[in-house]
Amino acid sequence: MIDFKQIIAKAIAEVVNIDEKELESYIEIPKDANNGDYAFPCFRLAKELRKAPPMIANDIKEKIQIDETIVEKVEVVGGYLNFYIHQEEMVEEVLKEIDTQEEYGKSEFGKGKNIVIDYSAPNIAKPFHIGHLRSTVIGGALYNIYQYLGYHTIGINHLGDYGTQFGKLIEGYKLWGKEYNIEEDPINELTKIYIRINQVCKEDENVLEQCRMNFKLLEDGDSYCTEIWEKFRALSLKEFQKVYDLLGSHFDSWNGEAFYSDKMPEVIEILEKTGKLVESQGAKIIDLKDKGINTPCIIKKSNGSTTYATRDLAAILYRTRTYDFDKALYVVSYEQTLHFKQVFEVSKLLRIDEKYTNGLKHVQFGMVSLPTGKMSTREGNIVKLEELLNESISRAKDIIEEKNPELEDKDEVAKKVGVGAVIFNDLSNSRIKDEVFDWNQILNFQGETGPYVQYTYVRTKSVLEKAGYMPTIEEVKFDKLLDESSKNIIKLIYNFENILIQVTEKEEPSILSRYLIDLAKAFSNFYNDNKILIEDKDIQNARVYLTYAVGKVLKTGAKLLGIEMPNKM
Ligand code: ARG
């Protein structure tokens, strides 16, 4: 599609003799459409050109040569140059692109670049909770969007399948395994054991020591411990898969923490050689005070077992070699900020290329609290995600029963709406914000929600169905879409790819979810302002086509977020 921004930047570059790319990065999209489609702030050039911004603006306006069939008007307002794109040209560009691109907005923008995304990563033998949901949903959306922009993406589920907690579970299982029906209901039963053993550990230092020993034995390959561990892992994965099936999640690698057990000695060896790995109370640590991090990174505990951090360091080494990544994203709650600061800092000692350590990024997100408060496995106060999703589906079903009892495939629709509502909720605000989970808000069809976006899509479908035909692009007269509300939609659709790029620049899928809300609202306005099915065939063709375009973009965008669209609801 024509890149208007680039055309404008090029034309300005010819006047002021400054790099086109740099100029392009200054161009803004005015909030108020009255100020044009693009604005160039001349303040940025004042220093270099030693002139007042309004003067620069006037100068450029006088000298600029720009195709009038593309930019119909250039205006100076204060230190700004405002550019008005020829509206009919914009409509034509957008609708022709909709017509020819099976997958609108898909591109080769990121071709040749590898993006590793570490997301979801629940802990074996513990419930898959609402924090892992956020990671799964945010990571999944980023995965889809990067891929759509032509990047090669690698999704990794860095399962928490190793660590001291397994020493505890093994001990609990040894003591009381027979009392629990683990095959039947693995996570719940293992959680009970975990809570019980933790209680005992609090009271009895010897048991705690035994638990630590068990993990050491596991690391050393003890056959009894390994056997139990494997059993826990397999049973847990089967449970997690139920959630992934509901969400439609996909991973390219399931290498969890245990995968790195034989890869840690190399890390320790490299760190030893730097001379920075020092003894402290029997443990081996790296002091990071001079890097502004007050807590040292523990590489080996006093009993010789490794840590979560050591495994992440081994994973970095492995991922640089295996995936040659441009970025490695860790979609993990902000509670682990210190952990990633430490690990990223220590990774600089691993003798890997700087391009890799620069590519490491903690994509942090806020906590989710339920009306009942925050959750922790140790206290046993937790909501299981599978139950939460099923509850959402059943609430969606109730709403459908009430509003549209005649609907076909009610269960299928309820699943799309219920799951979509939960996913959209997780993506609708900037990820760093804490979030309170509130059923009434999530499933509100009029609010800024997943169901609202789905409902708007369904409306576009029903308009097309009522029309009973689909005009070809040749039958569309582009000058029939110059009214305010049509223009709004066209502009939004034109911006779709740019929105996706913004998501990847900030690792922020909420930019796309906000966009979908904007587009849905723009369609509602268009629908209220205009009769779509009318006498005048030319106007009708144009409006039907625009309706189709909106539906197409809503569906594509939702899919990228991991949300399926129902055809009716
Ligand atoms: N399993 C961890 C948890 O539940 C998250 C792991 C995140 N990924 C990583 N490479 N550390 O808290």
Side-chain angles (χ1 to χ4, degrees), residues 18 47 85 116 183 195 219 222 269 313 316 381 404 450 490 501 512 525 533 556:
I18 291 175
K47 216 170 170 185
I85 303 296
V116 168
E183 314 283 334
I195 292 167
E219 283 208 287
D222 174 80
E269 202 186 299
L313 288 163
I316 290 174
N381 152 32
N404 191 1
I490 288 290
I501 292 171
L512 177 55
N525 290 338
L533 305 178
T556 305

Short mmCIF file of all heavy atoms in Angstrom, two decimals, residues 18 47 85 116 183 195 219 222 269 313 316 381 404 450 490 501 512 525 533 556:
data_model
loop_
_atom_site.label_atom_id
_atom_site.label_comp_id
_atom_site.label_asym_id
_atom_site.label_seq_id
_atom_site.Cartn_x
_atom_site.Cartn_y
_atom_site.Cartn_z
N ILE A 18 17.72 17.10 4.79
CA ILE A 18 17.96 16.30 5.99
C ILE A 18 17.48 14.89 5.67
O ILE A 18 16.58 14.71 4.84
CB ILE A 18 17.18 16.87 7.20
CG1 ILE A 18 17.79 18.22 7.59
CG2 ILE A 18 17.20 15.92 8.40
CD1 ILE A 18 17.05 18.95 8.68
N LYS A 47 16.82 24.12 15.57
CA LYS A 47 18.21 24.25 15.98
C LYS A 47 19.14 24.14 14.77
O LYS A 47 20.00 24.98 14.54
CB LYS A 47 18.54 23.16 16.98
CG LYS A 47 19.50 23.63 18.05
CD LYS A 47 19.60 22.59 19.13
CE LYS A 47 20.74 22.93 20.07
NZ LYS A 47 20.91 21.86 21.05
N ILE A 85 -4.38 14.32 3.14
CA ILE A 85 -4.32 13.34 2.06
C ILE A 85 -5.59 13.44 1.22
O ILE A 85 -6.68 13.65 1.73
CB ILE A 85 -4.21 11.90 2.63
CG1 ILE A 85 -2.99 11.77 3.54
CG2 ILE A 85 -4.18 10.87 1.51
CD1 ILE A 85 -1.66 11.96 2.85
N VAL A 116 12.57 -14.76 20.06
CA VAL A 116 12.24 -15.80 21.03
C VAL A 116 11.25 -15.22 22.04
O VAL A 116 11.47 -14.13 22.56
CB VAL A 116 13.51 -16.26 21.77
CG1 VAL A 116 13.16 -17.12 22.98
CG2 VAL A 116 14.44 -17.04 20.83
N GLU A 183 -3.55 -39.87 40.29
CA GLU A 183 -3.88 -40.15 38.88
C GLU A 183 -5.20 -39.47 38.49
O GLU A 183 -5.33 -38.95 37.39
CB GLU A 183 -4.06 -41.67 38.67
CG GLU A 183 -2.99 -42.54 39.28
CD GLU A 183 -1.71 -42.52 38.47
OE1 GLU A 183 -1.79 -42.27 37.26
OE2 GLU A 183 -0.62 -42.73 39.06
N ILE A 195 0.89 -28.26 50.14
CA ILE A 195 0.49 -27.41 51.28
C ILE A 195 0.83 -28.10 52.60
O ILE A 195 1.38 -27.50 53.53
CB ILE A 195 -1.02 -27.08 51.21
CG1 ILE A 195 -1.29 -26.16 50.00
CG2 ILE A 195 -1.50 -26.41 52.49
CD1 ILE A 195 -2.76 -26.02 49.65
N GLU A 219 18.80 -33.79 41.04
CA GLU A 219 19.79 -33.19 40.15
C GLU A 219 20.93 -34.15 39.84
O GLU A 219 21.49 -34.14 38.76
CB GLU A 219 20.39 -31.91 40.78
CG GLU A 219 19.49 -30.71 40.70
CD GLU A 219 20.27 -29.41 40.67
OE1 GLU A 219 20.81 -29.04 41.73
OE2 GLU A 219 20.34 -28.77 39.61
N ASP A 222 19.34 -39.43 40.73
CA ASP A 222 18.82 -40.54 41.53
C ASP A 222 17.56 -41.13 40.87
O ASP A 222 16.65 -40.39 40.49
CB ASP A 222 18.47 -40.00 42.93
CG ASP A 222 17.78 -41.05 43.78
OD1 ASP A 222 18.49 -41.91 44.33
OD2 ASP A 222 16.53 -41.01 43.87
N GLU A 269 31.31 -22.88 34.94
CA GLU A 269 32.71 -22.87 34.53
C GLU A 269 33.10 -21.49 33.95
O GLU A 269 34.12 -20.92 34.32
CB GLU A 269 32.89 -23.95 33.47
CG GLU A 269 34.31 -24.46 33.31
CD GLU A 269 34.36 -25.42 32.13
OE1 GLU A 269 33.66 -26.46 32.20
OE2 GLU A 269 35.07 -25.11 31.15
N LEU A 313 20.25 -18.59 33.14
CA LEU A 313 21.51 -18.26 32.48
C LEU A 313 21.86 -19.34 31.45
O LEU A 313 22.26 -19.03 30.32
CB LEU A 313 22.63 -18.12 33.51
CG LEU A 313 22.52 -16.85 34.36
CD1 LEU A 313 23.39 -16.94 35.61
CD2 LEU A 313 22.91 -15.62 33.52
N ILE A 316 19.78 -18.82 28.44
CA ILE A 316 20.23 -17.73 27.56
C ILE A 316 21.34 -18.23 26.63
O ILE A 316 21.30 -18.02 25.42
CB ILE A 316 20.72 -16.52 28.39
CG1 ILE A 316 19.53 -15.85 29.08
CG2 ILE A 316 21.45 -15.51 27.50
CD1 ILE A 316 19.90 -14.73 30.04
N ASN A 381 -4.99 -20.61 48.51
CA ASN A 381 -6.08 -19.69 48.14
C ASN A 381 -5.91 -19.33 46.67
O ASN A 381 -5.19 -18.43 46.31
CB ASN A 381 -5.99 -18.46 49.05
CG ASN A 381 -6.54 -17.21 48.41
OD1 ASN A 381 -7.47 -17.28 47.61
ND2 ASN A 381 -5.96 -16.07 48.74
N ASN A 404 -30.87 -14.44 22.98
CA ASN A 404 -31.08 -15.01 21.65
C ASN A 404 -31.25 -16.53 21.74
O ASN A 404 -30.41 -17.29 21.24
CB ASN A 404 -29.88 -14.63 20.76
CG ASN A 404 -30.12 -14.94 19.30
OD1 ASN A 404 -31.20 -15.43 18.94
ND2 ASN A 404 -29.14 -14.68 18.47
N GLY A 450 -14.19 -7.76 24.81
CA GLY A 450 -14.14 -8.73 23.74
C GLY A 450 -15.52 -8.96 23.12
O GLY A 450 -15.68 -8.88 21.90
N ILE A 490 -11.89 4.49 7.18
CA ILE A 490 -10.83 4.30 6.18
C ILE A 490 -9.46 4.58 6.78
O ILE A 490 -8.50 3.84 6.61
CB ILE A 490 -11.08 5.22 4.95
CG1 ILE A 490 -12.27 4.71 4.16
CG2 ILE A 490 -9.84 5.34 4.08
CD1 ILE A 490 -12.04 3.41 3.40
N ILE A 501 2.98 -2.76 14.06
CA ILE A 501 4.40 -2.43 14.27
C ILE A 501 4.59 -1.76 15.63
O ILE A 501 5.51 -2.08 16.37
CB ILE A 501 4.92 -1.55 13.12
CG1 ILE A 501 4.96 -2.38 11.83
CG2 ILE A 501 6.31 -1.00 13.43
CD1 ILE A 501 5.25 -1.61 10.57
N LEU A 512 -3.21 -2.93 20.07
CA LEU A 512 -4.12 -3.55 19.10
C LEU A 512 -5.54 -3.69 19.68
O LEU A 512 -6.52 -3.46 18.98
CB LEU A 512 -3.58 -4.91 18.64
CG LEU A 512 -4.46 -5.69 17.67
CD1 LEU A 512 -4.82 -4.89 16.42
CD2 LEU A 512 -3.80 -7.01 17.26
N ASN A 525 -20.68 4.35 14.74
CA ASN A 525 -21.01 5.71 14.28
C ASN A 525 -21.45 5.71 12.82
O ASN A 525 -22.44 6.33 12.45
CB ASN A 525 -19.81 6.65 14.43
CG ASN A 525 -19.53 6.94 15.88
OD1 ASN A 525 -20.41 6.80 16.73
ND2 ASN A 525 -18.30 7.32 16.17
N LEU A 533 -28.32 0.02 3.43
CA LEU A 533 -29.10 -0.57 2.35
C LEU A 533 -30.14 0.45 1.88
O LEU A 533 -31.14 0.68 2.53
CB LEU A 533 -29.77 -1.86 2.82
CG LEU A 533 -28.77 -2.87 3.40
CD1 LEU A 533 -29.46 -4.11 3.91
CD2 LEU A 533 -27.69 -3.24 2.38
N THR A 556 -9.38 -10.21 11.62
CA THR A 556 -7.93 -10.42 11.57
C THR A 556 -7.28 -9.97 12.88
O THR A 556 -6.46 -10.68 13.45
CB THR A 556 -7.32 -9.61 10.40
OG1 THR A 556 -7.99 -9.98 9.20
CG2 THR A 556 -5.84 -9.87 10.26
#
